[in-house]
Amino acid sequence: MRGHARASANFALVKYWGKRDAALNLPARGSLSVTVDALYTETTVIFEPDLAADCLSVDGRPRPGAATLRASRVLDLIRAAAGASLRARVLSKNSFPYGAGLASSASSMAALSLAAARALGLDLSLERLSVIARHGSGSAARSLHGGYVLWREGTRADGEDAHGSQLHPPEHWPLRVLVALVDAGEKDTSSSQGMQETARSSPLYAGWLDSVNPDLEAAQLALAARDLAALGEVMERSCLTMHAAMMSARPGLLYWRAATVALIHRVRALRAEGLGVYFTIDAGPHVKALCAPKDEAAVRAALEATPGVTRVIACGVGGPAR
Ligand code: DP6
């Protein structure tokens, strides 16, 4: 009745921002990510006969409310698959700040789905676990697999075909991702809420959606060819187009801080000096810089020297949940 799993976070090269079905957490468009090894969640799930409700603790702190509700959505699907009804105690530990726009929901829901399945003796495929983890958080659909992962939006109304698939294993292209942390605080607008507000009120939302499929195609070609300049160009424009749509929601949604903007300029200045480095930013102030291993030391030094940066975490391409 006890299972343990570890899953890595992932960063989208082509972003997910908008849902075609909020209840089933189905994305409006596909997205493409890289799984990262240094940011991960380790989760233990224990199903216990005397628990009245699921309870969750993250990094030693009880998390009733929204986080537990998300976890219960995943646990309900695992219970249904196993024909079980016991409630669970979930103990989750992150190797990085939780809830700060660093994809903790992706790694935590992916680890939870695998740990809960194992606790109840289920041997589910990564695709099946991806569908289940998606109900807790969309980006978690991409965190079961290692390497470079495509999450298709699918066509089925029940969402069973909206799962992550590995495009390339980590060995295909051992790029580095340097995460420049700007602010340790938890964000005040969740991705779910931000997406909903953007879809409802941004005049740029339709344009954002139109941009995704061409970017997905271009990113897949660049990945297959290991063309960093081509991939970096798509990654930056997907990021900026998504943020433009968020910023033009009403009220405008701005996750950036002064240091975020400084980091964008720093990455571009490094490029002008001949380094192959590209940025992306998710629903938080941190900046992730993608580069080849040979440029890592120079990029790291430049990010660390940018005012407002508290810490840089270096990641390689990570493996699957296990
Ligand atoms: C900006 O997966 O956290 O990181 O499905 O509502 O839980 P929910 O959202 P979430 O959104 C991630 C948004 C993003 C872009 C991305 O990872 O593709």
Side-chain angles (χ1 to χ4, degrees), residues 76 251 274:
D76 283 344

Side-chain angles (χ1 to χ4, degrees), residues 6 18 42 54 84 115 118 172 222 279 293 309:
R6 175 197 276 206
E42 285 184 341
D54 295 323
R118 285 298 153 86
H172 170 73
F279 67 82
V309 172

